[in-house]
Amino acid sequence: KLGRPSELPPEPLPNYEGDEEFLRRLHHVLLEVEVLEGSLQCPDSGRRFPISRGVPNLLLSEDEA
Amino acid sequence: DVSGLPPSRQPGMAEAAGDAGLGPAAAQEGAELAAVIGATVPTGFEQTAAEEVQEKLGSASRISRDRGKIYFEVPARSLPQVHRLRSVDNLFVVVQEFKDYQFKENKEDALKDLEDLVKKLPWTDPLKVWELNNSLKKKKTKRKKHNLQSPASREKLSDGGEEGGADQNNTNDQEDCAQNPVAVAPTGGQDTENPQGVTSRNGVEEEEDNEQSDVKVEVQASSESGAKAGDGQTGEGQAKVLRFRVTCNRAGDKHSFTSNEAARDFGGAVQEHFQWKADMTNFDVEVLLNIHNNEVVVGIALTEESLHRRNITHFGPTTLRSTLAYGMLRLCDPQPTDIIVDPMCGTGAIPIEGAAEWPYCYHIAGDNSPQAVKRAANNICSLLRKNESKDSSTGLGVPLDIIQWDICNLPLRTGSVDIVVTDMPFGKRIGSKKKNWDLYPACLMEMGRICTPGTGRAVLLTQDKKCFAKALSRVGHIWRRAQTVWVNVGGLHAAVYLLRRTWERAEERRPFW
C-alpha cells in the first residue's frame, strides 16, 4: 500500500513476462520508488517492520528469533 | 608513437637542468609518448588488476616479483582512463627499470653508484608524462572546487569517520589533498604507507625498510613561496624551480645500506642534477626509488601517496580499501542481473563499489549495527549526489539498497541470491575470537541458504583463517573452496576465499521467515 495507486494487481497474472505495461509498472514500484518512512508488513504474521530514512529494520526481537 | 622501444626506455642524454617541466608545451609532447606505468595494487590481486588493465586499456601487464605492483604500457594520452582503474591504489611513470642491478658490497660504493646513476637516467620523457598528468590534475581540482560549494558535500566531509563513499574511492581526489595538506609525510623514519611492507608470505624473512627521506640541502622552513602540494605551477612565463622529494622502498637482506641512506644520497644527486629544491611536504615531483633485492625501479609518482594512507587511518581501522573491495567483487565475476548481497556491510565499502562498477547487477547491503547502517546510508547518498551532478536531469537511481538485519536470520528467500561478498569480522578489531567461533558457522549456513545452488558463489575476506577453515569443514555439503588469495589488510595477514555453492538444496528450516 503505497498511499497512491500503483495500478498493480494483487497477484502477478499468468504470462506476466510478456505484459510490457505490467512490467513497466512493476519496474517503477521496485526500482524507482523509494520508501523513506513507512513499514513492511509480513503477509503471514501481519508483523510490521519499520522503515526509517529509507532503511527498513528487519531485526527480530528475542522471542521471535 | 608506439613502435619498438618506447622513448622512455632508450638510454637518453642527461636531463639539462631547468629543462624539466616547462608547462603546456611539454604536456602536449607528453601526450604523444608511450608511457610505462607502474601501479601499486593490493597484494594478492595483481592478476585481477592485470585483467582490468587488459579490459579497459587493452594493454598486457607484467607482474613484478616485488608484490603488489604491476607494469603496463599505454599511450600517455590514455592517462585519464588509467586514473579511473578501480583495482589500483597508486600510479607512477617508470623512468627506468633494472632487472638485475648489481649492488656493491661496500656501503659507500653502493651508495655512490646510486648517486652516479641519476645523470644517466632517461628523465626527459617520463617528466613530460608527469607534466601531462599535472595538467589533468589541475582540471579535476577546478571541477571539484566548484562542487565543494554545495552544502551536501560539506556535510559529508564534516562527518568525521566516514568512508565518504565513492568520492574517496578515487585515489585521484585532488580536492582532499588541497583540503588536508597536513595529511602527509611522517616524521623521521616512520613510514606505514606500504601495507605490503611486512614479512613475506612465503615465510622468507625479508628485511624490509620503507622510509621516505628528506634531502636536507636547504633549510626546510623556507616554504613561504606559497606553492601548494602537487601544484606544479609552470607555464607562467618564467621557469619556476621545482620542489621534490625522494621516497625509497627497499626490501632484501643483502643490501649494505638502508632506504633512508639511499633516498638521501639519490636525492642529493637529483638535487644536484636538476637544481630542484628539496621539500618534504610541498613537493611537485615525487621521485620513487624502489629496490626489491636486485630489482630496481626509478619512477615518478602520478598520484598522491598521502590520500591512499588517509583512507585507511582517517576513516576507521575497519573500513575496507575500495581497491580491495573491487578486487573481491571481480573475483566472483558478476554477470548482468546477478543479485549481490553483502550481509555484514559495515560502512558499505563493498556494495558501493559494486553498484558503481557493476550497475547491471542489483546490490543489497545489510548490517545489524544501527551506526553501520547509518554510515552506509550516508555513503550511498554521497554516491547518488555524485551521479546527480554529472547528468543533471536524469537522476538515475543506484541499484543498491540497505537494510538493517541479522546475519543469522536473513529476510531473504532461499536460493535467491547469486553472489555473497563480505568482509567477515576479524576477532582482533571487532568482536572477539570466541564470538567468531560461533558466528562463522552460522554465517556460512545462512549464506549458503540464500545462495543459488550450483551457480552461486561467495567471496569472503577474513583474518581469522583458522576459525574460517574449521567452519568451512562443517558446511562442505553446501560450500566448496575454489580459490584463496592471501592479502594484507592494514598490516594484518588476511585471506580472501572464493567459494562455490554446491548443487545441494538448503533445508527450509525457517523459524520466523
Side-chain angles (χ1 to χ4, degrees):
Chain A
K1 293 182 191 136
L2 283 174
R4 58 186 177 101
S6 60
E7 295 149 6
L8 285 177
E11 289 272 338
L13 301 170
N15 299 326
Y16 69 86
E17 291 97 331
D19 185 348
E20 185 144 335
E21 189 51 47
F22 167 77
L23 289 174
R24 223 185 282 264
R25 291 190 195 135
L26 185 63
H27 175 270
H28 176 70
V29 169
L30 282 179
L31 295 174
E32 290 172 353
V33 176
E34 176 89 37
V35 177
L36 290 174
E37 301 294 326
S39 64
L40 289 170
Q41 185 172 37
C42 172
D44 293 332
S45 68
R47 209 279 220 191
R48 283 185 183 278
F49 294 88
I51 302 174
S52 172
R53 302 176 66 155
V55 182
N57 184 341
L58 297 168
L59 288 172
L60 303 175
S61 63
E62 292 272 320
D63 8 298
E64 284 167 328
Chain B
D1 189 14
V2 194
S3 54
L5 261 185
S8 56
R9 287 259 198 92
Q10 289 159 11
M13 294 307 293
E15 179 63 62
D19 265 4
L22 275 182
Q28 262 207 325
E29 283 184 60
E32 306 307 315
L33 296 168
V36 178
I37 304 290
T40 54
V41 306
T43 327
F45 281 99
E46 295 88 351
Q47 189 54 44
T48 313
E51 283 167 21
E52 192 194 8
V53 169
Q54 180 67 60
E55 187 185 289
K56 296 186 178 166
L57 297 166
S59 298
S61 303
R62 266 180 303 117
I63 298 170
S64 79
R65 268 173 299 147
D66 183 8
R67 291 160 294 121
K69 290 196 184 64
I70 65 168
Y71 296 91
F72 53 92
E73 200 173 294
V74 286
R77 73 171 67 82
S78 300
L79 274 179
Q81 287 97 292
V82 175
H83 279 286
R84 286 199 287 268
L85 291 168
R86 309 295 303 193
S87 53
V88 160
D89 286 316
N90 280 290
L91 296 164
F92 56 94
V93 54
V94 174
V95 175
Q96 192 156 4
E97 284 179 74
F98 300 88
K99 296 274 165 64
D100 194 19
Y101 188 94
Q102 295 304 318
F103 287 101
K104 301 244 168 69
E105 285 200 19
N106 175 280
K107 185 205 297 208
E108 265 128 43
D109 295 339
L111 289 174
K112 178 85 178 47
D113 278 351
L114 284 177
E115 284 181 36
D116 293 343
L117 190 58
V118 173
K119 55 182 179 288
K120 301 181 202 159
L121 292 169
W123 295 99
T124 321
D125 289 343
L127 280 166
K128 287 188 186 143
V129 174
W130 167 81
E131 182 69 51
L132 175 64
N133 190 66
N134 269 0
S135 61
L136 291 176
K137 279 202 278 186
K138 271 200 228 155
K139 283 187 203 151
K140 269 205 157 196
T141 314
K142 277 195 197 135
R143 210 176 357 116
K144 293 256 162 148
K145 277 199 168 111
H146 174 72
N147 285 345
L148 200 54
Q149 301 316 320
S150 71
S153 314
R154 220 177 288 135
E155 179 216 327
K156 172 198 92 179
L157 288 166
S158 64
D159 192 0
E162 290 286 1
E163 188 205 1
D167 261 350
Q168 304 300 49
N169 294 349
N170 189 351
T171 55
N172 226 10
D173 204 331
Q174 283 308 299
E175 158 198 68
D176 288 301
C177 190
Q179 292 247 300
N180 265 351
V182 182
V184 176
T187 53
Q190 268 289 26
D191 181 30
T192 53
E193 275 186 19
N194 265 342
Q196 55 251 33
V198 180
T199 319
S200 158
R201 264 238 65 87
N202 302 329
V204 173
E205 215 74 32
E206 286 188 337
E207 191 200 316
E208 295 211 5
D209 202 351
N210 299 328
E211 295 173 48
Q212 293 164 13
S213 185
D214 169 30
V215 180
K216 284 188 162 53
V217 178
E218 309 245 346
V219 173
Q220 275 217 287
S222 62
S223 50
E224 72 282 3
S225 72
K228 293 197 276 272
D231 182 18
Q233 279 165 10
T234 51
E236 293 296 337
Q238 19 173 204
K240 176 199 168 264
V241 173
L242 291 178
R243 293 159 186 267
F244 80 102
R245 78 172 186 192
V246 173
T247 302
C248 177
N249 291 320
R250 188 201 64 76
D253 47 13
K254 295 203 177 75
H255 303 129
S256 56
F257 54 87
T258 64
S259 66
N260 214 2
E261 291 164 337
R264 178 197 65 207
D265 289 0
F266 194 80
V270 167
Q271 197 274 338
E272 179 83 30
H273 183 69
F274 290 107
Q275 294 298 300
W276 290 340
K277 232 172 136 175
D279 195 324
M280 193 57 170
T281 50
N282 287 328
F283 52 91
D284 304 303
V285 184
E286 179 169 24
V287 176
L288 305 170
L289 178 60
N290 290 328
I291 302 172
H292 185 257
N293 292 318
N294 286 351
E295 227 177 67
V296 176
V297 180
V298 180
I300 300 174
L302 298 176
T303 54
E304 312 268 341
E305 291 276 354
S306 57
L307 285 175
H308 157 58
R309 184 147 54 95
R310 205 188 98 151
N311 270 341
I312 291 185
T313 56
H314 200 244
F315 299 103
T318 57
T319 299
L320 196 68
R321 253 194 294 181
S322 66
T323 47
L324 197 46
Y326 177 83
M328 288 173 67
L329 282 159
R330 250 199 108 98
L331 211 55
C332 42
D333 191 25
Q335 296 301 305
T337 78
D338 275 349
I339 309 280
I340 305 180
V341 172
D342 182 348
M344 296 183 277
C345 67
T347 52
I350 298 173
I352 285 169
E353 186 69 22
E357 268 298 294
W358 288 272
Y360 300 114
C361 298
Y362 194 76
H363 306 263
I364 307 177
D367 203 290
N368 61 354
S369 145
Q371 295 94 330
V373 164
K374 184 173 156 195
R375 286 217 185 107
N378 281 343
N379 289 335
I380 295 169
C381 287
S382 305
L383 181 60
L384 279 167
R385 274 194 291 271
K386 192 179 171 192
N387 284 353
E388 249 173 64
S389 54
K390 276 185 195 161
D391 353 79
S392 44
S393 51
T394 58
L396 279 179
V398 157
L400 169 59
D401 261 319
I402 172 111
I403 301 173
Q404 190 171 358
W405 65 28
D406 174 7
I407 173 73
C408 299
N409 274 294
L410 293 172
L412 295 169
R413 289 215 199 102
T414 300
S416 61
V417 169
D418 298 287
I419 295 172
V420 175
V421 54
T422 196
D423 177 3
M424 315 257 307
F426 293 175
K428 286 200 169 118
R429 288 187 284 184
I430 284 198
S432 66
K433 290 236 158 174
K434 181 175 187 298
K435 270 199 202 160
N436 287 352
W437 216 247
D438 300 323
L439 184 66
Y440 276 27
C443 283
L444 285 170
M445 284 299 296
E446 189 67 347
M447 295 193 287
R449 182 187 66 75
I450 62 170
C451 200
T452 316
T455 58
R457 52 259 191 234
V459 172
L460 310 172
L461 168 66
T462 179
Q463 196 242 342
D464 206 338
K465 301 177 283 287
K466 203 193 279 182
C467 187
F468 187 83
K470 182 149 199 269
L472 195 56
S473 65
R474 288 211 248 151
V475 296
H477 59 296
I478 50 173
W479 288 115
R480 263 183 307 110
R481 204 151 97 161
Q483 195 185 336
T484 308
V485 182
W486 302 107
V487 300
N488 193 307
V489 182
L492 299 173
H493 289 310
V496 171
Y497 297 94
L498 169 65
L499 306 175
R500 294 210 183 275
R501 183 67 175 78
T502 64
W503 285 100
E504 180 164 327
R505 292 193 178 284
E507 288 167 24
E508 282 281 3
R509 80 171 164 79
R510 318 226 29 209
F512 187 84
W513 304 107

